Amino acid sequence: MPSLEILIIPGAKLHLMSNEELKKLVLNNPRLRILDIADNGFINLPGEMFKMNANLEILNISSNKIHEIDLDLSYSTELRVIDLRNNLVMETISDAFLKSVAKITEMTHLDIILSGNNLKCDCNLLQLVSIFNVSTSAECNLNSENHLIDTNKNDSLSSLLKEACKSEQKLDLLIIIGGSSLFVLISGLIAVCCFIQFCRRRKLQNPGDWIITLAENTPKRDHVPTFIVFLAYCSHNSSFVMNTLYPRLNKKLMTLLNQHDKEKLIIAYDKKFLAGEAIDVLIHQAIENSYVTVAVISDEFLKSSWCSFEVKMAYTSNVPLIPLYLNKCNPDNLSGIFKLLYNTRVRLLWPDSKDLGRHDLTKQEEKVIDVLCNNVIAYVTQTKQQDINNGNNDINEEIETQM
């Protein structure tokens, strides 16, 4: 059957058809210019049933039971009249419908007949009335009062709808502000609860003992640290640290400091940490009870949350922190505390065995150990001098005794 140009079938109980059957009826007639399906008991119509009807000029869907207007009519660019009289549109005009008919009005004049619907007075209706030629007898509801939409009285209508639109925008703004305030309040409460729990887990009587601001340039100690160096390293590098770095560093420091008790020089996990103790508390105590923290940084170290915690603890406690890199790293791949450490601290790099012969490698390793020890001793001496300047004679006597 050839495509129809005029299809008028009012009162035929087409609502008994399925949405697919109704779409097929319209889509199979792409040359339609006039479609009248009034008084057929429709509650809604398929949104894209007119996507093949570019020639449609008059659409009559009046006297049905349509609750919401959400048709996509953007394909029907020849539309002149949309008759929506005597339906049950109680709320508002959908954004999708507005956008679709807005495209039509860019090319042609469009009349929309809305009489017999109790529409909601809102911003969408204001836009509809401002752009299109809406029928003179439609009504909208504002605060339980009905108002006639009369296009012959554009000034009063526009004023009414603008008032409704302004009220709606104020309400939306209040909802946004209220929601944002509630979010900030809840976030603050969660942060406080987390902080309290954080302090409890560490069993600290005074959280201020370990939260030290970066503005303080020198560590304030009321005791002499038990150890010279705290070695912070990743378990992946445990073999290198305990078999290579630890014994050589310990031996060198014993010689330079004339210290006979080698157990008082370096604190490391594998030597001093006891099974069953809280790791975070042990780390805090190790940093506080050492003059210097040496971070043995590798790729695995950078990925470890515990290692990051140790570096942050040393940094914020203002304890001297010496980074010893086991391999070269790309600073572009660093973030957070590690990027800050890389950019602000002098770095030591452990020699790479791939680049050197055995003899040269040993010499370079000894050179790094020498530089590391000299830096450690410089920090110990600096601490001693600071205590003298601060008048801490008791502490100074203890330092002399240790060294």
Side-chain angles (χ1 to χ4, degrees), residues 57-206:
E57 297 177 10
I58 298 175
L59 174 61
N60 184 2
I61 50 177
S62 62
S63 302
N64 282 290
K65 300 176 182 179
I66 297 173
H67 289 269
E68 183 179 5
I69 308 171
D70 57 358
L71 295 172
D72 184 0
L73 297 169
S74 57
Y75 303 96
S76 305
T77 55
E78 299 297 322
L79 262 175
R80 302 290 186 275
V81 177
I82 303 174
D83 192 345
L84 289 162
R85 285 175 296 179
N86 302 322
N87 276 284
L88 300 177
V89 182
M90 298 290 292
E91 286 298 318
T92 185
I93 309 297
S94 72
D95 291 333
F97 179 76
L98 279 176
K99 290 178 181 177
S100 67
V101 294
K103 292 181 180 179
I104 299 172
T105 57
E106 292 175 0
M107 294 170 281
T108 184
H109 176 80
L110 177 64
D111 289 331
I112 302 176
I113 306 173
L114 289 172
S115 56
N117 290 284
N118 193 16
L119 295 163
K120 179 182 177 182
C121 299
D122 65 358
C123 295
N124 277 359
L125 188 58
L126 173 62
Q127 184 179 351
L128 188 71
V129 172
S130 302
I131 298 175
F132 312 115
N133 184 22
V134 179
S135 67
T136 59
S137 57
E139 290 182 335
C140 70
N141 183 280
L142 176 64
N143 299 329
S144 302
E145 296 182 6
N146 288 334
H147 298 268
L148 186 67
I149 300 176
D150 191 345
T151 51
N152 294 321
K153 298 179 180 179
N154 284 325
D155 292 339
S156 58
L157 172 65
S158 177
S159 176
L160 171 69
L161 292 178
K162 285 180 180 178
E163 179 186 344
C165 184
K166 188 181 297 183
S167 300
E168 182 180 329
Q169 290 173 341
K170 285 182 179 179
L171 180 61
D172 290 342
L173 182 60
L174 287 174
I175 291 173
I176 292 172
I177 293 174
S180 301
S181 301
L182 183 61
F183 174 77
V184 171
L185 177 61
I186 292 174
S187 300
L189 290 174
I190 292 174
V192 171
C193 292
C194 290
F195 178 76
I196 293 173
Q197 185 65 19
F198 190 66
C199 292
R200 285 178 178 174
R201 287 184 60 190
R202 277 149 185 77
K203 301 178 182 178
L204 297 177
Q205 293 181 348
N206 181 11

Side-chain angles (χ1 to χ4, degrees), residues 347-366:
R347 305 178 294 277
L348 295 179
L349 178 63
W350 191 258
D352 191 343
S353 59
K354 298 177 183 178
D355 300 334
L356 300 168
R358 186 174 183 82
H359 177 70
D360 291 336
L361 177 64
T362 303
K363 288 177 61 177
Q364 290 299 320
E365 289 176 348
E366 287 300 324

